[in-house]
Amino acid sequence: MADLRILVTADDFDLGAEAARLEAGADTGAVVTFTGRVRDVDGGLRHMEIEHYPGMTEVALTRIAEEAAARWSLAAVTIVHRHGRLAPGARIMMVGTASRHREAAFEAASFLMDYLKSRAPFWKKEVTAEGAEWVAAKDSDEDALDRWT
Amino acid sequence: MADLRILVTADDFDLGAEAARLEAGADTGAVVTFTGRVRDVDGGLRHMEIEHYPGMTEVALTRIAEEAAARWSLAAVTIVHRHGRLAPGARIMMVGTASRHREAAFEAASFLMDYLKSRAPFWKKEVTAEGAEWVAAKDSDEDALDRWT
Amino acid sequence: MKLQVLYFAWLRERIGLGREEVETQAATIADLVAELRAREDRYDLAFSDMAAVRCALDQELVPIDTPLGTAREVAFFPPMTGG
Amino acid sequence: MKLQVLYFAWLRERIGLGREEVETQAATIADLVAELRAREDRYDLAFSDMAAVRCALDQELVPIDTPLGTAREVAFFPPMTGG
């Protein structure tokens, strides 16, 4: 069974340390990580606020990780997601997968991201000089799930 | 134009530092990394030796990175590949991509790996108690290129 | 029965609270929404576009017509935007 | 003409050297291989299965029937196994 690590935190995380943890098994040949970060496209972003649903968040992320581990041969899965106030450039979240082979590690990481985007209870709000606005969900994110069903 | 970083080295590398470098642009929302590592499946591996073709290696890796940057909208591409003697568990190489969106970062990283496997002049040799053996190329690695053409 | 009802993101902001205890005889989540909307304008406004509302029953995503059954917690929120 | 000829991995091991200067009038890489095979058994052995040999001309992967032209460096090696 894959080693699952789920972390929901206000704090920043250390990608190098998370990757080192993923690499730990003797049979792990491939580690893929995805890191999401607060973009500041127009230069006007003061900060981002991420709200979540404590309790359900951990349950939802664990379920998504378990689903990935059931579909691909994985030694380890990591999901870290921050909440609270994040400055432009800050890391928001990461997923990581460890496997024998690159295909499984890549596909599982992509799967985790697609499900996390639309099925984990996080909501982003962007605060600019003009005010605050909740980020709208994209149809393309919902559509991305189709390729896994 | 994407920021390309190509490094061929005998030394280990710091994935966290490489990822931080990839994250540097204001417009980067997504960073994907792949790390390859010496597996010891049967417990009998003493070490791996990686030979390469100095001169051609850098040219080939740069060309692969440029091709990825031409196909996807990327802020940065990193390829690091080690050579020489590597112990079981050691990191062999990494690729990293930075983009606005996750799809481009994932696809480009997968593309880089597929080309690097079959088009960059590296050769792996496994040394066990029984002797030394050059790793055979896999048909599946050659076939993996088909999806990009 | 007594239910914990939770609101997130702009639903929380429009209704003006994140959690409340509700006494209800509603059979389904949709019935509960109808009861809440009848209460006060802020609820009516928050739930005016149900296509933009998702719900969870005891922390599991479910359709709006799901029976409340013996659930203890219902949550309402917009489509998720994590990652 | 004078060419730098390089060998890697098991080609290097079978031939017993990694690099040599070769004086040749060969028109193509395939012609050069034929010349080398005629020289000594160790070359003949190394090049006995050309399906397992790849080549580069001035550090660029090319087919075996590529003309040598004004190239200065030819390399022979098995299929690559990086990554």
Side-chain angles (χ1 to χ4, degrees):
Chain A
M1 188 53 202
D3 177 22
L4 309 184
R5 171 167 160 80
I6 307 295
L7 182 62
V8 181
T9 174
D11 300 328
D12 196 10
F13 54 88
D14 179 339
L15 180 66
E18 294 298 339
R21 193 189 267 259
L22 283 162
E23 281 179 353
D27 201 22
T28 291
V31 171
V32 168
T33 70
F34 175 95
T35 314
R37 188 170 164 276
V38 181
R39 284 204 294 151
D40 181 13
V41 182
D42 307 321
L45 186 72
R46 285 192 179 162
H47 64 264
M48 177 176 273
E49 277 173 25
I50 299 184
E51 184 169 329
H52 78 117
Y53 182 171
M56 178 173 168
T57 309
E58 291 77 2
V59 171
L61 294 180
T62 301
R63 190 162 301 174
I64 294 167
E66 285 172 347
E67 177 70 21
R71 287 183 176 225
W72 290 277
S73 175
L74 303 175
V77 174
T78 295
I79 304 178
V80 181
H81 206 300
R82 298 177 68 188
H83 57 83
R85 178 179 291 209
L86 300 179
R91 276 179 286 269
I92 300 172
M93 49 74 62
M94 68 161 286
V95 302
T97 54
S99 183
R100 288 188 186 190
H101 301 297
R102 71 185 188 283
E103 296 82 1
F106 269 120
E107 284 185 22
S110 194
F111 170 92
L112 290 171
M113 282 308 302
D114 284 350
Y115 274 82
L116 193 149
K117 282 260 171 193
S118 309
R119 293 291 182 270
F122 292 99
W123 300 276
K124 289 191 187 117
K125 186 189 216 175
E126 289 175 345
V127 180
T128 65
E130 282 73 48
E133 197 158 359
W134 291 97
V135 172
K138 292 188 202 129
D139 288 342
S140 62
D141 284 334
E142 190 65 33
D143 295 345
L145 299 182
D146 289 345
R147 63 176 167 142
W148 307 111
T149 55
Chain B
M1 188 53 202
D3 177 22
L4 308 184
R5 172 168 159 80
I6 307 296
L7 182 62
V8 181
T9 174
D11 300 328
D12 195 9
F13 54 88
D14 178 340
L15 180 67
E18 294 297 340
R21 195 190 266 259
L22 283 162
E23 281 179 353
D27 202 21
T28 290
V31 171
V32 168
T33 70
F34 175 96
T35 313
R37 188 168 164 277
V38 181
R39 283 203 296 149
D40 180 12
V41 181
D42 307 320
L45 185 73
R46 284 190 179 162
H47 64 265
M48 177 174 274
E49 277 171 26
I50 299 184
E51 184 169 330
H52 79 117
Y53 182 172
M56 179 172 166
T57 309
E58 291 77 1
V59 171
L61 294 180
T62 301
R63 190 161 302 172
I64 293 167
E66 285 172 347
E67 177 70 21
R71 285 183 176 226
W72 290 276
S73 175
L74 302 175
V77 174
T78 295
I79 304 178
V80 181
H81 206 301
R82 298 177 68 186
H83 58 82
R85 177 178 292 209
L86 301 179
R91 276 179 286 268
I92 300 172
M93 50 72 63
M94 68 161 286
V95 302
T97 54
S99 182
R100 288 189 187 190
H101 300 298
R102 71 184 188 282
E103 296 83 0
F106 268 120
E107 285 186 20
S110 194
F111 170 92
L112 289 171
M113 282 309 301
D114 284 350
Y115 273 82
L116 193 150
K117 282 261 171 194
S118 309
R119 293 292 181 269
F122 292 99
W123 300 276
K124 288 191 187 118
K125 187 189 217 174
E126 288 176 346
V127 181
T128 65
E130 281 75 48
E133 196 158 358
W134 290 98
V135 172
K138 292 188 203 131
D139 289 342
S140 60
D141 284 333
E142 191 65 31
D143 296 345
L145 300 183
D146 289 345
R147 63 177 166 142
W148 307 111
T149 56
Chain C
M1 66 181 167
K2 275 192 168 57
L3 270 179
Q4 292 296 317
V5 183
L6 281 67
Y7 310 103
F8 293 97
W10 54 256
L11 275 141
R12 175 179 53 71
E13 290 178 342
R14 288 189 194 168
I15 291 168
L17 50 81
R19 167 192 289 266
E20 61 183 325
E21 193 172 79
V22 172
E23 178 67 46
T24 180
Q25 298 305 321
T28 67
I29 301 175
D31 294 343
L32 174 64
V33 169
E35 280 187 15
L36 292 168
R37 293 187 69 172
R39 264 197 195 174
E40 281 182 56
D41 278 357
R42 59 193 170 115
Y43 289 95
D44 193 39
L45 178 70
F47 289 112
S48 61
D49 177 14
M50 286 307 291
V53 176
R54 302 286 177 270
C55 53
L57 197 62
D58 282 345
Q59 307 190 346
E60 179 142 8
L61 270 180
V62 293
I64 190 77
D65 57 359
T66 304
L68 289 171
T70 57
R72 285 173 299 183
E73 187 172 301
V74 179
F76 296 101
F77 41 78
M80 295 145 166
T81 54
Chain D
M1 67 179 166
K2 276 191 168 57
L3 269 178
Q4 292 295 317
V5 182
L6 280 68
Y7 310 104
F8 293 97
W10 53 256
L11 274 140
R12 174 179 54 72
E13 291 178 341
R14 289 188 194 169
I15 292 168
L17 48 81
R19 169 193 290 265
E20 63 184 322
E21 193 172 79
V22 171
E23 177 68 44
T24 180
Q25 299 305 320
T28 68
I29 301 175
D31 294 343
L32 174 64
V33 170
E35 279 186 16
L36 291 167
R37 293 187 70 172
R39 266 197 194 172
E40 283 182 55
D41 279 356
R42 58 194 168 112
Y43 290 95
D44 193 39
L45 178 69
F47 289 112
S48 60
D49 177 14
M50 287 305 292
V53 176
R54 302 285 177 272
C55 52
L57 198 61
D58 282 346
Q59 307 190 346
E60 178 141 9
L61 269 181
V62 293
I64 191 77
D65 58 359
T66 304
L68 290 171
T70 59
R72 286 172 300 183
E73 187 171 300
V74 179
F76 296 101
F77 40 78
M80 295 145 164
T81 54

